Amino acid sequence: MSKELFVAVSGQPNCGKSTMFNALTGATARVGNYPGITVDRAEGYYRKNDDNIHLVDLPGTYSLTSYSMEEVVARNVIVDEKPDVVINMLDATSLERSLYLAIQFMEIGVPVVLGLNMMDEVKKKGIRINSQKLSELLGVPVVECIARKGVGKDKLMEEVKKVSEERKGLWKPVNISYGHDLDPVIEEMKELIVEHSFMTDRYDPHWLAVKYLEEDEIIIANGRELGSISSQLEDKVHEIAAHIKKTKDTYPEAVLADYRYGFINSILKQGVISREDNLRFDHSDKIDMVLTQKFLGPIIMLCVMFAMFYITFNLGAYPQGWVEDGFGWLSSTVSGLLPDGLLKSLIVSGVIDGVGAVMGFTPLILIMFAMLVFLEDLGYMARVAYMVDRVFRMFGLHGMSIMPMIMAGGLPGGCAVPGVMSCRTLRSPKERIATILTAPFMVCGAKTTAYILIIGAFFPENPTTAMFGLVVLSWALALIAARLLRWTALKGESTPFVMELPPYRIPTLHGVAVHTWDRVWQYIKKAGTVILAISIIMWALMTFPQLPAERVAQFDQQRQTIEQQSMDWTGTKDEINDKLSEALSEVDFAESQATLQNSYAGKISDAISPVTNLAGFPWQANISFIGAFAAKEVFVSTMSTAYSLGEEDPEEATPLQAKLAADPAWTPAVIWSVIVFMMVYVPCMVTVAVIIRETNWKWGMFSVFGSMGFGYILSVLIYQIGTALGY
Amino acid sequence: MSISLRSMRKDQQGKIVAVSASGQLGRRIRDMGLVPGTEFKVVGRAPLQDPVALRMKGFTLTLRNNEADFITVETED
């Protein structure tokens, strides 16, 4: 068996790189994360006959600069992990731009094999590409491929083996001429670099000089740590930059790009391409004439979103029910097996119910992601971003922010968990974090139960209007909060919208399945770890300290008394039994209310009441808000416990609504204070866990405390002003 | 004649003369292939007139009007 090769698969976005990667690795692909960032790292093996080739899928990038996470990752994998060969997939339908990345790999010097993808589309368009000629001119192997059908994958691997045997790990950087202004400077800088062995263990001297001219932030920052050579190099760059500015009114990096494209063009013109496809109108343009049309475009977009939403939550309700039933069965089986006591309570209420509530979302996430991945691979998401960008920009967000907002509950009934996870489609870090932090303000399915309770109690005449008003309010608050964030904690220029509208292509089933499963699996892993820990903590807070023995004895005494009294009751056996169980459950509820008030959660509620009193929360709402951090549905169930009612099912809280409506503590100022706080105050623990996963601990904590602060300020204002005005 | 990309109408064709952006924006523009000499056609504008979509080098590109300000083009008419 030959030595295992390590091969990186690279390419520009939408070039079919991942499709080829999937075709090569088949079922062996596994996705993880690069440490500390959310860029996916997919790895797998190509196995055929004796070959065992280890492949890593680099993130899609247009170039190898240091501006985006993807570019940095792609470059670092090349420089630090030194793959034996890089396979660079090219979209042959836009060859000129595709070669831009290929040239940069060749400049670094790593052995490259080019995969000329989408050859079927090229032929359909009547373009002829001479791949043999291209290979000769560039001096690297070129393999014609159709990734969707797996065409060319074995040929690619053969070339990979051949190249790795020829080169034996030797890197041969290709030096392009950058013209009479820059070439001499590059030469001088190169000499300086070689003379002092400046970072030469990591980079090629010529390449390093070019990166200094490009003012590559990461390279320069690394260089500065190593001493004075860096400042000498920077001086040279400033000198030539000033010269170019004066003589040509441009920048060194612009000159570098011009020469790279010039080099590419000179190659393409030597008989590689027979006819250019430059401005030709194709089927994607025809589709776009409808899908992005001024009036039709937005209407179709709303329909698509509504359909996604509808499918997710209606179709998803069935598997969600099965998962919940499964956990329900597990929960009742385990409680039947274990003796009463703390261990049973921990395992059933803490572990099974806590994790079960979270796992119930899995089918929703699976369905939603499948559709989202489909729309993204199809090329439609880029159009959506294009259409709404103007509006979202006013609030400091990006066109791409719309999807997470909708998913999180922009149409009521959504869920912030898939919403936050779908923020991955956002490439710009600041807009992405602003979206992640504000999407949980939306009216998710769990909050809907709380609002139905409140609306039913206080706005029984026109519930639909009230609900609609709340949804509009949540959008307004999210957008305003995003604007505030972008003026403060996430200050900075908006990220350029220079973005490709990829041609519409029907995604492969395999590709959609693989991407969807990766994301769902990561969610499941999270549910099994962080969420398990949090739900145990929440359980402990609501269970300990336990009622003192004499209080428990009192309740037991009451139960015994009732049972004894029941002996003397008159009526049929059934009537007596009904009456008895009703009386007993009243005692049970009194006990659970007492337990709740006595628990740490109850004590915390008491402790914070001086603060929350400013916002006017009734004590029942106060304690419910604490529980609702675990899951917003808990608000209704805790309220019903706190109001000592037998209704545990949030769907059927009618008597609770009557009780609320009758409680004089709920003035209009209090109602709105509670509504707004509910909307904003803290994402549920599952969402927080996902936010931490998608960003880091810092932003997770910011999301908890920032939202809490924002919600608190709003609620205090509403309550104080409302009360002062006499509401 | 030379005008800013912002002022071009739908379906108009042009050729890039200069890109005056530096830094991240400049690099993004150039990485996508918007370099002097590139021919393109304005294929559409978003419902609120911004961003704008261009067809060039076999693909479609979008950018905002305030980014188009940095690009000077030469048009035929």
Side-chain angles (χ1 to χ4, degrees):
Chain A
M1 190 157 155
S2 52
K3 160 180 126 44
E4 180 185 300
L5 293 178
F6 179 50
V7 174
V9 183
S10 71
Q12 297 188 335
N14 315 307
C15 72
K17 167 186 69 81
S18 295
T19 313
M20 182 52 94
F21 175 80
N22 290 335
L24 286 168
T25 55
T28 66
R30 289 288 172 270
V31 175
N33 267 70
Y34 289 94
I37 50 175
T38 53
V39 177
D40 286 337
R41 180 180 176 118
E43 292 186 64
Y45 286 89
Y46 169 85
R47 292 194 181 108
K48 197 174 184 191
N49 308 329
D50 266 359
D51 302 331
N52 195 19
I53 298 178
H54 180 192
L55 293 132
V56 57
D57 192 16
L58 297 183
T61 58
Y62 288 103
S63 106
L64 293 179
T65 57
S66 62
Y67 273 112
S68 75
M69 211 65 105
E70 286 81 6
E71 291 166 346
V72 175
V73 166
R75 202 165 82 185
N76 286 351
V77 170
I78 305 289
V79 174
D80 297 330
E81 300 181 27
K82 301 223 184 297
D84 295 291
V85 178
V86 170
I87 296 175
N88 185 184
M89 297 303 292
L90 307 180
D91 176 355
T93 60
S94 63
L95 193 55
E96 181 184 345
R97 192 202 55 193
S98 298
L99 281 170
Y100 192 67
L101 180 67
I103 297 300
Q104 293 181 55
F105 280 117
M106 290 164 66
E107 283 186 272
I108 292 185
V110 63
V112 177
V113 171
L114 297 184
L116 212 49
N117 194 21
M118 317 222 180
M119 285 308 288
D120 49 345
E121 283 186 39
V122 168
K123 282 185 189 127
K124 230 184 275 168
K125 286 184 175 185
I127 307 167
R128 224 170 292 136
I129 297 177
N130 187 340
S131 57
Q132 189 62 40
K133 187 92 187 170
L134 181 65
S135 169
E136 279 166 28
L137 291 168
L138 287 174
V140 298
V142 177
V143 179
E144 296 189 9
C145 305
I146 305 167
R148 292 163 50 84
K149 297 176 185 161
V151 174
K153 63 173 188 177
D154 295 327
K155 184 90 198 318
L156 266 179
M157 290 295 116
E158 278 170 34
E159 292 295 344
V160 162
K161 277 195 293 177
K162 233 187 270 173
V163 168
S164 75
E165 276 160 26
E166 276 166 27
R167 296 277 286 266
K168 295 201 168 35
L170 193 71
W171 285 26
K172 273 192 267 173
V174 170
N175 296 343
I176 299 173
S177 164
Y178 289 114
H180 57 83
D181 278 329
L182 294 185
D183 278 347
V185 184
I186 294 174
E187 224 25 67
E188 279 174 40
M189 290 166 76
K190 191 175 150 186
E191 274 167 30
L192 196 63
I193 290 165
V194 172
E195 192 185 320
H196 294 88
S197 312
F198 182 68
M199 297 201 273
T200 43
D201 50 332
R202 219 173 157 209
Y203 306 113
D204 169 66
H206 187 273
W207 187 81
L208 196 56
V210 171
K211 285 291 137 183
Y212 260 89
L213 275 175
E214 279 181 345
E215 301 195 32
D216 187 294
E217 284 163 14
I218 290 182
I219 298 280
I220 293 177
N222 289 346
R224 279 185 187 155
E225 285 171 17
L226 292 175
S228 63
I229 311 299
S230 183
S231 62
Q232 288 183 48
L233 293 172
E234 283 174 59
D235 286 345
K236 284 192 193 294
V237 172
H238 292 150
E239 216 173 283
I240 188 70
H243 175 72
I244 288 179
K245 183 83 197 159
K246 204 163 68 191
T247 54
K248 294 191 173 144
D249 192 27
T250 182
Y251 311 90
E253 55 171 307
V255 178
L256 293 170
D258 287 353
Y259 272 90
R260 276 188 198 128
Y261 277 109
F263 178 73
I264 292 167
N265 266 315
S266 73
I267 284 174
L268 295 182
K269 285 201 177 110
Q270 293 175 54
V272 170
I273 279 198
S274 70
R275 185 177 65 79
E276 285 206 54
D277 181 41
N278 216 354
L279 308 177
R280 236 175 59 127
F281 212 69
D282 63 15
H283 71 282
S284 287
D285 295 291
K286 280 179 209 144
I287 299 172
D288 270 339
M289 280 174 66
V290 180
L291 291 189
T292 64
Q293 204 266 344
K294 204 173 275 184
F295 302 106
L296 274 179
I299 293 171
I300 294 171
M301 179 180 80
L302 291 178
C303 292
V304 168
M305 284 179 174
F306 185 77
M308 281 183 74
F309 182 79
Y310 188 85
I311 293 169
T312 305
F313 293 101
N314 285 280
L315 198 68
Y318 297 101
Q320 186 177 25
W322 302 332
V323 175
E324 280 167 0
D325 288 350
F327 274 95
W329 173 83
L330 187 66
S331 170
S332 61
T333 311
V334 173
S335 35
L337 290 175
L338 291 172
D340 280 343
L342 274 181
L343 180 68
K344 175 173 162 179
S345 169
L346 168 67
I347 292 177
V348 174
S349 311
V351 177
I352 299 177
D353 290 353
V355 174
V358 174
M359 287 299 193
F361 288 120
T362 316
L364 298 190
I365 289 177
L366 191 128
I367 293 171
M368 198 223 44
F369 266 125
M371 287 189 290
L372 204 65
V373 168
F374 178 83
L375 284 182
E376 225 184 309
D377 289 0
L378 183 69
Y380 186 66
M381 287 316 296
R383 269 79 183 180
V384 171
Y386 164 69
M387 285 190 280
V388 301
D389 178 68
R390 190 69 196 88
V391 179
F392 273 62
R393 201 191 324 162
M394 295 194 292
F395 298 97
L397 296 173
H398 193 273
M400 280 291 199
S401 306
I402 189 167
M403 209 61 213
M405 294 275 191
I406 298 265
M407 276 296 144
L411 293 167
C415 173
V417 172
V420 167
M421 287 177 76
S422 65
C423 284
R424 291 185 164 199
T425 47
L426 283 155
R427 284 284 168 256
S428 42
K430 282 183 177 153
E431 281 108 331
R432 185 168 152 268
I433 291 175
T435 312
I436 287 177
L437 294 178
T438 53
F441 290 6
M442 297 288 154
V443 181
C444 69
K447 282 185 208 170
T448 312
T449 61
Y451 287 137
I452 288 171
L453 170 73
I454 293 172
I455 287 173
F458 305 112
F459 308 98
E461 299 85 24
N462 34 21
T464 320
T465 322
M467 197 64 190
F468 181 74
L470 291 186
V471 173
V472 172
L473 182 66
S474 72
W475 273 98
L477 287 177
L479 290 175
I480 290 168
R483 185 65 268 182
L484 291 175
L485 280 171
R486 293 285 279 115
W487 272 329
T488 53
L490 292 164
K491 210 160 148 181
E493 286 280 296
S494 58
T495 322
F497 194 74
V498 185
M499 197 180 82
E500 187 183 352
L501 290 187
Y504 290 103
R505 288 188 184 115
I506 302 292
T508 60
L509 186 64
H510 182 236
V512 172
V514 167
H515 286 149
T516 307
W517 177 246
D518 288 343
R519 296 179 188 190
V520 172
W521 178 237
Q522 289 181 6
Y523 174 80
I524 293 175
K525 273 198 292 195
K526 203 70 189 180
T529 52
V530 171
I531 291 161
L532 176 63
I534 301 177
S535 74
I536 291 174
I537 293 170
M538 290 307 299
W539 168 82
L541 283 180
M542 291 175 84
T543 310
F544 294 106
Q546 293 184 295
L547 280 181
E550 64 267 24
R551 297 278 310 275
V552 177
Q554 276 173 12
F555 286 112
D556 285 342
Q557 184 62 49
Q558 281 182 21
R559 273 187 278 258
Q560 277 171 17
T561 314
I562 290 170
E563 270 174 42
Q564 267 174 8
Q565 283 171 347
S566 73
M567 306 281 188
D568 306 331
W569 290 346
T570 52
T572 65
K573 207 176 172 212
D574 283 349
E575 277 172 2
I576 292 179
N577 275 344
D578 283 353
K579 207 176 153 194
L580 177 65
S581 64
E582 196 182 318
L584 285 178
S585 69
E586 262 174 46
V587 179
D588 288 345
F589 269 97
E591 186 175 6
S592 60
Q593 184 180 8
T595 311
L596 187 59
Q597 278 181 313
N598 185 61
S599 72
Y600 287 116
K603 289 187 174 135
I604 293 170
S605 172
D606 281 345
I608 60 170
S609 61
V611 181
T612 54
N613 280 346
L614 285 176
F617 302 149
W619 76 266
Q620 297 95 338
N622 213 20
I623 198 165
S624 302
F625 276 132
I626 296 175
F629 170 59
K632 298 279 157 98
E633 291 94 335
V634 174
F635 184 84
V636 175
S637 54
T638 316
M639 282 287 273
S640 74
T641 314
Y643 271 96
S644 228
L645 280 164
E647 292 289 337
E648 271 190 304
D649 186 356
E651 313 287 319
E652 282 183 79
T654 334
L656 178 56
Q657 288 178 339
K659 198 105 179 183
L660 275 182
D663 188 344
W666 292 85
T667 65
V670 170
I671 295 166
W672 284 103
S673 166
V674 168
I675 284 178
V676 168
F677 195 68
M678 183 66 176
M679 200 172 273
V680 174
Y681 83 113
V682 153
C684 67
M685 67 172 189
V686 189
T687 308
V688 173
V690 174
I691 290 176
I692 291 169
R693 214 201 101 62
E694 295 295 309
T695 57
N696 55 35
W697 277 98
K698 201 185 77 179
W699 286 117
M701 291 302 107
F702 184 84
S703 151
V704 172
F705 295 106
S707 309
M708 206 186 286
F710 185 57
Y712 181 68
I713 291 169
L714 289 175
S715 290
V716 170
L717 284 176
I718 291 168
Y719 177 68
Q720 295 298 341
I721 295 174
T723 309
L725 293 176
Y727 289 101
Chain B
M1 87 188 162
S2 286
I3 54 170
S4 160
L5 175 57
R6 180 198 275 265
S7 56
M8 286 178 72
R9 10 167 253 282
K10 192 172 179 280
D11 293 329
Q12 202 176 6
Q13 293 200 11
K15 188 175 178 179
I16 294 176
V17 180
V19 178
S20 62
S22 63
Q24 181 178 9
L25 177 60
R27 198 172 298 201
R28 283 283 272 265
I29 288 176
R30 285 186 281 268
D31 284 349
M32 298 297 279
L34 285 166
V35 291
T38 306
E39 289 175 14
F40 67 92
K41 179 177 171 186
V42 177
V43 287
R45 284 184 180 275
L48 293 170
Q49 293 302 310
D50 186 18
V52 57
L54 311 176
R55 178 121 193 105
M56 52 177 275
K57 294 182 179 172
F59 67 103
T60 308
L61 189 72
T62 63
L63 72 170
R64 290 173 177 163
N65 276 336
N66 56 9
E67 291 155 5
D69 282 341
F70 292 99
I71 300 173
T72 314
V73 295
E74 200 170 68
T75 55
E76 282 156 16
D77 43 300

PDB file of all heavy atoms in Angstrom, chain A residues 138 178 200 303 360 398 419 430 607 700 710:
ATOM      1  N   LEU A 138       0.103  26.649 -18.252  1.00  0.00           N
ATOM      2  CA  LEU A 138       0.238  26.888 -16.812  1.00  0.00           C
ATOM      3  C   LEU A 138       1.259  25.946 -16.170  1.00  0.00           C
ATOM      4  O   LEU A 138       1.738  26.204 -15.069  1.00  0.00           O
ATOM      5  CB  LEU A 138      -1.116  26.711 -16.114  1.00  0.00           C
ATOM      6  CG  LEU A 138      -2.154  27.805 -16.332  1.00  0.00           C
ATOM      7  CD1 LEU A 138      -3.474  27.400 -15.693  1.00  0.00           C
ATOM      8  CD2 LEU A 138      -1.691  29.133 -15.753  1.00  0.00           C
ATOM      9  N   TYR A 178       5.041  41.664 -12.292  1.00  0.00           N
ATOM     10  CA  TYR A 178       4.098  42.698 -11.891  1.00  0.00           C
ATOM     11  C   TYR A 178       4.470  44.061 -12.461  1.00  0.00           C
ATOM     12  O   TYR A 178       4.123  45.093 -11.893  1.00  0.00           O
ATOM     13  CB  TYR A 178       3.992  42.747 -10.360  1.00  0.00           C
ATOM     14  CG  TYR A 178       3.256  41.539  -9.814  1.00  0.00           C
ATOM     15  CD1 TYR A 178       3.902  40.597  -9.014  1.00  0.00           C
ATOM     16  CD2 TYR A 178       1.924  41.326 -10.128  1.00  0.00           C
ATOM     17  CE1 TYR A 178       3.233  39.485  -8.543  1.00  0.00           C
ATOM     18  CE2 TYR A 178       1.245  40.212  -9.658  1.00  0.00           C
ATOM     19  CZ  TYR A 178       1.903  39.300  -8.861  1.00  0.00           C
ATOM     20  OH  TYR A 178       1.235  38.198  -8.404  1.00  0.00           O
ATOM     21  N   THR A 200      11.124  32.864   6.578  1.00  0.00           N
ATOM     22  CA  THR A 200      11.297  31.981   5.414  1.00  0.00           C
ATOM     23  C   THR A 200      10.993  30.530   5.747  1.00  0.00           C
ATOM     24  O   THR A 200      10.818  29.711   4.853  1.00  0.00           O
ATOM     25  CB  THR A 200      12.732  32.065   4.850  1.00  0.00           C
ATOM     26  OG1 THR A 200      13.629  32.073   5.963  1.00  0.00           O
ATOM     27  CG2 THR A 200      12.936  33.300   4.011  1.00  0.00           C
ATOM     28  N   CYS A 303     -43.934  34.674  -0.556  1.00  0.00           N
ATOM     29  CA  CYS A 303     -44.615  33.385  -0.687  1.00  0.00           C
ATOM     30  C   CYS A 303     -43.662  32.228  -0.361  1.00  0.00           C
ATOM     31  O   CYS A 303     -44.031  31.295   0.352  1.00  0.00           O
ATOM     32  CB  CYS A 303     -45.155  33.202  -2.099  1.00  0.00           C
ATOM     33  SG  CYS A 303     -46.490  34.337  -2.472  1.00  0.00           S
ATOM     34  N   GLY A 360     -36.883  17.734  20.825  1.00  0.00           N
ATOM     35  CA  GLY A 360     -38.117  17.877  20.074  1.00  0.00           C
ATOM     36  C   GLY A 360     -37.963  18.829  18.895  1.00  0.00           C
ATOM     37  O   GLY A 360     -38.669  18.723  17.898  1.00  0.00           O
ATOM     38  N   HIS A 398     -27.376  43.246   6.966  1.00  0.00           N
ATOM     39  CA  HIS A 398     -27.023  42.869   5.604  1.00  0.00           C
ATOM     40  C   HIS A 398     -28.253  42.211   4.979  1.00  0.00           C
ATOM     41  O   HIS A 398     -29.096  41.670   5.707  1.00  0.00           O
ATOM     42  CB  HIS A 398     -25.857  41.870   5.679  1.00  0.00           C
ATOM     43  CG  HIS A 398     -25.180  41.611   4.383  1.00  0.00           C
ATOM     44  ND1 HIS A 398     -25.612  40.654   3.513  1.00  0.00           N
ATOM     45  CD2 HIS A 398     -24.084  42.184   3.814  1.00  0.00           C
ATOM     46  CE1 HIS A 398     -24.806  40.648   2.452  1.00  0.00           C
ATOM     47  NE2 HIS A 398     -23.880  41.564   2.615  1.00  0.00           N
ATOM     48  N   GLY A 419     -33.059  29.761  13.665  1.00  0.00           N
ATOM     49  CA  GLY A 419     -32.820  31.133  13.209  1.00  0.00           C
ATOM     50  C   GLY A 419     -31.365  31.523  13.397  1.00  0.00           C
ATOM     51  O   GLY A 419     -30.694  31.980  12.470  1.00  0.00           O
ATOM     52  N   LYS A 430     -19.647  41.393  11.658  1.00  0.00           N
ATOM     53  CA  LYS A 430     -20.415  42.331  12.488  1.00  0.00           C
ATOM     54  C   LYS A 430     -21.907  42.227  12.242  1.00  0.00           C
ATOM     55  O   LYS A 430     -22.700  42.180  13.171  1.00  0.00           O
ATOM     56  CB  LYS A 430     -19.931  43.757  12.251  1.00  0.00           C
ATOM     57  CG  LYS A 430     -18.645  43.993  13.006  1.00  0.00           C
ATOM     58  CD  LYS A 430     -18.151  45.377  12.879  1.00  0.00           C
ATOM     59  CE  LYS A 430     -16.889  45.526  13.728  1.00  0.00           C
ATOM     60  NZ  LYS A 430     -16.008  46.549  13.242  1.00  0.00           N
ATOM     61  N   ALA A 607     -35.641  37.890  45.980  1.00  0.00           N
ATOM     62  CA  ALA A 607     -34.473  38.756  46.114  1.00  0.00           C
ATOM     63  C   ALA A 607     -34.464  39.842  45.043  1.00  0.00           C
ATOM     64  O   ALA A 607     -34.066  40.977  45.300  1.00  0.00           O
ATOM     65  CB  ALA A 607     -33.185  37.935  46.042  1.00  0.00           C
ATOM     66  N   GLY A 700     -22.319  35.165  23.885  1.00  0.00           N
ATOM     67  CA  GLY A 700     -23.413  34.455  24.535  1.00  0.00           C
ATOM     68  C   GLY A 700     -23.839  35.199  25.796  1.00  0.00           C
ATOM     69  O   GLY A 700     -25.020  35.441  26.036  1.00  0.00           O
ATOM     70  N   PHE A 710     -31.678  45.624  28.079  1.00  0.00           N
ATOM     71  CA  PHE A 710     -32.526  46.312  27.111  1.00  0.00           C
ATOM     72  C   PHE A 710     -34.000  46.111  27.466  1.00  0.00           C
ATOM     73  O   PHE A 710     -34.782  47.067  27.544  1.00  0.00           O
ATOM     74  CB  PHE A 710     -32.217  45.769  25.707  1.00  0.00           C
ATOM     75  CG  PHE A 710     -32.916  46.466  24.577  1.00  0.00           C
ATOM     76  CD1 PHE A 710     -32.776  47.836  24.390  1.00  0.00           C
ATOM     77  CD2 PHE A 710     -33.699  45.752  23.675  1.00  0.00           C
ATOM     78  CE1 PHE A 710     -33.412  48.484  23.338  1.00  0.00           C
ATOM     79  CE2 PHE A 710     -34.339  46.379  22.619  1.00  0.00           C
ATOM     80  CZ  PHE A 710     -34.198  47.753  22.456  1.00  0.00           C
TER      81      PHE A 710
END
